[in-house]
Amino acid sequence: MLTSLSIKNYALIDHLHVDFNNGFTIITGETGAGKSILLGGLSLILGKRADLSSLRDKESKCVIEAVFDVTNYNLESLFSTEDLDFEPQTIIRREILPSGKSRAFVNDSPVNLSSLQLLGNRLVDIHSQHETLQLVDDAFQFQVIDALANVANDLNVYSQKRKEYITLNKALNQLVAFQTEAIKEHDYNLFLLNELTQAKLKSEELESLEEELETLSNIDAIQEKLTASNQLFSDEQIGVLNNVTELKNTLKQLSSISNKYEELYNRVNSSLIELDDVFSELERFQEDLEADPNRLQEVNARLTLINNLFQKHVVNSIEDLITIQAQLLEKVSATENVDADINTKKLEIAKAQQELDAIALVIHNKRKKAIPVLKIKLEAILAQLGMPNAQFNIVLNITNTYYPNGKEELNFLFSANKGGDFKPLKKAASGGELSRIMLAIKSILTQYIKLPTIMFDEIDTGVSGEISNKMADIMAGMSTTMQVFSITHLPQIAAKGHTHFKVYKEDVNEITTTNLVQLNHVERIVEIAQMLGGIEVSNSALAHAKELLN
């Protein structure tokens, strides 16, 4: 509920602070006294766009601050979503700077207008005869039906199931799109994969092949060098082995003379053993070495194949080709398996659709049961408000479309006269009738859900005295479960309020200022008497005012 409102430097308001109570609050005042200014200031708190022209003093900033008791409004999740600190006594402040910039704060945290509007919609509902478009809005009509049908939990389940259904359909569309695109590339990818698979690539074979090619290409030169090397080892005159053997024998003789020669002998003997082993290797290499034109052709062909694959796939290592082969295998397999994936996804969608249809049907049946109840209540209240022939035909049709709030389309059809045709509300009801219908609906909603503070702005325009009594009773009844404001010109409504404020203008130093003051019991009698009979208050008007208040 709105507990206090402060306005500084706004339009004709210099500085204003007022505290409000729960229940039914009346605001009265002469035409032009500034009631619309008060509403304009409150609208800024609720997220309306600021206008520099509203500054009273163009050199100073305008500050509007409202305090709300949000203890029972279940707004914790909204505060969390908007990254705001939740406080049971929430303070909203709006500032308009002389530069034209506007700032908004919730509990001293800066917020943007969209966040402020989200919060404002949950705190105050300003309703006037010119603001009944909400009544013909599908979302609002469903909100009314759903309040009576008590389907909030069912709608949460439906919303979750719908999200799952949409997600599954999106995944199916992605699979189908992938399939369409993959089919175009499948044959080529399969060709590339088969080419790489048939190549039977090994990660380290390139170095081995290049070495083998070098050997086979230079077989004669290698043979010549090996033969020369063997001769250097085995020649009887200058052969390495003979000379080193002779050296070993000489040192053997010296080692018998002195131990200091034995170490040299051992070293030469070790060298001779190593050289003999090298000679054996050379002989084996020479024996194994032979020209093999066929193998040379095979190696050349293998290297050509590998290099061609390098060029085709723009890589320079067999490891890269093996990686590409794995990727191609994955693509080809995915393409070949996508039919199975699509069928699986379709089965999942069918199951999700069954669950979605089931909860949608539960919601539909509950709504159908609620419609006659709403119809009876609405027509009964409207009869009290001077519309005895008002009739509703509320049509609920189930469709094949999954809307955010169910599978139905809703039509509020209305007839104000006996024997009249039922037509959509916006075509069948006048502004005054729409206003009374809205009042009836809001009064019914208070029996089922927690509504925000509501401010009725002269919805009683053009209403007779007897009907205004009924309107006042309805608003007073609503105020037992919520905070209700009524800006009115009718004494019958003003007398039913629990608290009464008067908006008035006064001239101070040739400057006109709008003020708001709470009236005591005596002041209320005078104010209501003036509303009955004009500025010159008669005894009969005072007596009538007292009677109304009693």
Side-chain angles (χ1 to χ4, degrees):
M1 64 174 268
L2 176 63
T3 60
S4 71
L5 178 65
S6 296
I7 301 177
K8 180 182 178 182
N9 194 35
Y10 178 73
L12 295 180
I13 298 174
D14 181 32
H15 187 274
L16 173 70
H17 176 84
V18 59
D19 295 319
F20 298 110
N21 298 318
N22 206 347
F24 188 20
T25 299
I26 297 296
I27 300 175
T28 61
E30 295 179 5
T31 301
K35 297 186 292 295
S36 61
I37 295 173
L38 193 66
L39 282 179
L42 183 60
S43 297
L44 287 174
I45 285 292
L46 305 178
K48 181 182 176 183
R49 292 200 171 274
D51 185 354
L52 185 60
S53 65
S54 60
L55 291 181
R56 179 181 176 87
D57 178 1
K58 305 300 183 185
E59 302 301 319
S60 302
K61 70 178 178 180
C62 164
V63 180
I64 302 174
E65 185 171 281
V67 181
F68 292 89
D69 182 351
V70 297
T71 307
N72 300 318
Y73 279 56
N74 298 321
L75 292 175
E76 289 85 350
S77 60
L78 176 60
F79 274 73
S80 176
T81 302
E82 297 300 317
D83 197 22
L84 296 170
D85 295 328
F86 178 80
E87 296 289 346
Q89 297 296 316
T90 286
I91 302 172
I92 301 179
R93 187 173 77 255
R94 191 77 184 274
E95 298 179 356
I96 307 172
L97 307 180
S99 63
K101 291 184 179 179
S102 168
R103 300 184 300 186
F105 303 86
V106 174
N107 295 327
D108 285 331
S109 295
V111 295
N112 55 35
L113 279 190
S114 60
S115 295
L116 193 59
Q117 288 166 359
L118 279 175
L119 181 57
N121 288 337
R122 300 284 292 273
L123 295 176
V124 179
D125 176 11
I126 298 178
H127 174 62
S128 71
Q129 200 175 90
H130 305 292
E131 294 173 346
T132 52
L133 289 179
Q134 184 186 32
L135 189 56
V136 299
D137 179 66
D138 284 349
F140 178 75
Q141 292 176 358
F142 270 113
Q143 181 188 346
V144 175
I145 296 291
D146 292 345
L148 276 71
N150 191 25
V151 291
N153 291 333
D154 299 310
L155 283 171
N156 286 334
V157 175
Y158 173 86
S159 178
Q160 184 58 42
K161 295 292 183 185
R162 181 173 177 269
K163 286 179 183 176
E164 294 171 5
Y165 176 72
I166 290 172
T167 300
L168 287 171
N169 272 286
K170 184 177 179 181
L172 174 63
N173 291 335
Q174 289 174 342
L175 280 173
V176 171
F178 169 79
Q179 183 186 48
T180 303
E181 192 62 30
I183 287 174
K184 298 177 184 177
E185 301 177 359
H186 178 67
D187 291 343
Y188 183 58
N189 286 338
L190 185 61
F191 167 76
L192 293 177
L193 175 63
N194 289 336
E195 188 177 50
L196 289 171
T197 302
Q198 290 167 7
K200 297 179 181 179
L201 299 167
K202 298 175 183 177
S203 59
E204 297 179 356
E205 72 171 312
L206 183 61
E207 185 178 347
S208 174
L209 286 170
E210 288 175 340
E211 183 180 341
E212 188 176 2
L213 176 66
E214 191 68 22
T215 298
L216 290 171
S217 299
N218 297 281
I219 192 80
D220 293 337
I222 294 170
Q223 184 69 46
E224 181 183 340
K225 298 300 181 185
L226 287 175
T227 299
S229 298
N230 282 338
Q231 287 178 350
L232 289 173
F233 266 96
S234 59
D235 189 273
E236 293 182 359
Q237 300 297 322
I238 61 170
V240 172
L241 291 177
N242 287 337
N243 289 330
V244 175
T245 298
E246 186 176 345
L247 174 61
K248 184 193 78 167
N249 293 332
T250 301
L251 291 174
K252 176 67 174 173
Q253 295 172 1
L254 288 174
S255 65
S256 62
I257 297 174
S258 172
N259 288 337
K260 67 181 180 181
Y261 299 118
E262 186 174 1
E263 183 181 353
L264 290 174
Y265 165 76
N266 290 333
R267 289 169 65 186
V268 170
N269 188 48
S270 295
S271 298
L272 180 62
I273 293 171
E274 181 66 23
L275 288 170
D276 189 56
D277 187 60
V278 170
F279 178 61
S280 298
E281 285 282 318
L282 285 171
E283 285 185 319
R284 189 170 67 254
F285 286 160
Q286 193 169 16
E287 290 172 2
D288 293 343
L289 188 68
E290 61 177 328
D292 188 346
N294 291 333
R295 179 56 186 166
L296 177 61
Q297 187 175 357
E298 288 175 6
V299 172
N300 260 319
R302 182 67 176 171
L303 284 171
T304 299
L305 171 65
I306 291 172
N307 284 317
N308 287 340
L309 290 173
F310 283 170
Q311 290 180 2
K312 178 177 288 187
H313 295 282
V314 196
V315 296
N316 54 19
S317 73
I318 290 180
E319 286 77 8
D320 289 339
L321 288 176
I322 292 173
T323 299
I324 291 171
Q325 182 180 347
Q327 292 170 345
L328 286 168
L329 178 61
E330 186 177 345
K331 287 182 180 180
V332 169
S333 299
T335 304
E336 292 173 349
N337 295 331
V338 74
D339 282 336
D341 293 341
I342 287 174
N343 289 332
T344 299
K345 196 61 65 179
K346 285 180 177 178
L347 291 174
E348 292 176 2
I349 288 172
K351 181 182 177 183
Q353 190 170 5
Q354 282 183 338
E355 295 174 351
L356 191 56
D357 285 339
I359 189 64
L361 185 59
V362 169
I363 294 169
H364 176 69
N365 289 334
K366 288 184 178 181
R367 284 171 171 169
K368 281 182 70 176
K369 289 180 181 179
I371 286 174
V373 178
L374 175 62
K375 183 177 182 297
I376 291 169
K377 287 178 177 287
L378 265 178
E379 291 174 357
I381 295 173
L382 291 175
Q384 297 176 36
L385 295 177
M387 299 171 65
N389 299 317
Q391 287 184 297
F392 282 90
N393 181 20
I394 302 174
V395 182
L396 188 67
N397 293 319
I398 198 160
T399 70
N400 293 320
T401 303
Y402 297 102
Y403 298 110
N405 62 345
K407 290 185 65 177
E408 298 122 314
E409 291 177 350
L410 179 65
N411 284 307
F412 264 58
L413 302 177
F414 177 71
S415 173
N417 306 301
K418 278 186 177 181
D421 293 334
F422 285 100
K423 296 178 182 179
L425 265 176
K426 60 183 176 182
K427 294 182 179 179
S430 65
E433 288 170 337
L434 284 174
S435 186
R436 278 179 269 180
I437 293 170
M438 180 63 92
L439 175 60
I441 286 176
K442 291 289 176 72
S443 69
I444 294 170
L445 286 178
T446 59
Q447 303 169 27
Y448 296 91
I449 58 175
K450 179 70 176 178
L451 291 176
T453 292
I454 189 165
M455 185 167 288
F456 292 107
D457 178 20
E458 299 184 359
I459 67 163
D460 47 36
T461 301
V463 173
S464 67
E466 181 56 33
I467 293 174
S468 66
N469 264 323
K470 297 295 184 181
M471 294 182 80
D473 288 337
I474 291 172
M475 288 187 276
M478 293 172 65
S479 72
T480 60
T481 58
M482 61 184 294
Q483 187 182 37
V484 178
F485 288 84
S486 178
I487 298 174
T488 182
H489 287 293
L490 293 182
Q492 292 87 350
I493 291 178
K496 294 288 177 73
H498 304 133
T499 310
H500 191 153
F501 289 88
K502 180 176 181 178
V503 179
Y504 66 96
K505 281 198 283 192
E506 62 179 351
D507 294 333
V508 179
N509 297 325
E510 297 185 353
I511 297 176
T512 302
T513 301
T514 289
N515 287 301
L516 182 70
V517 63
Q518 183 175 348
L519 303 181
N520 58 31
H521 183 67
V522 174
E523 291 168 335
R524 284 191 77 182
I525 293 173
V526 174
E527 174 68 8
I528 293 173
Q530 289 179 339
M531 295 173 73
L532 285 163
I535 298 297
E536 298 296 330
V537 178
S538 65
N539 289 332
S540 61
L542 288 171
H544 192 183
K546 289 177 182 178
E547 183 183 349
L548 287 174
L549 283 169
N550 289 332

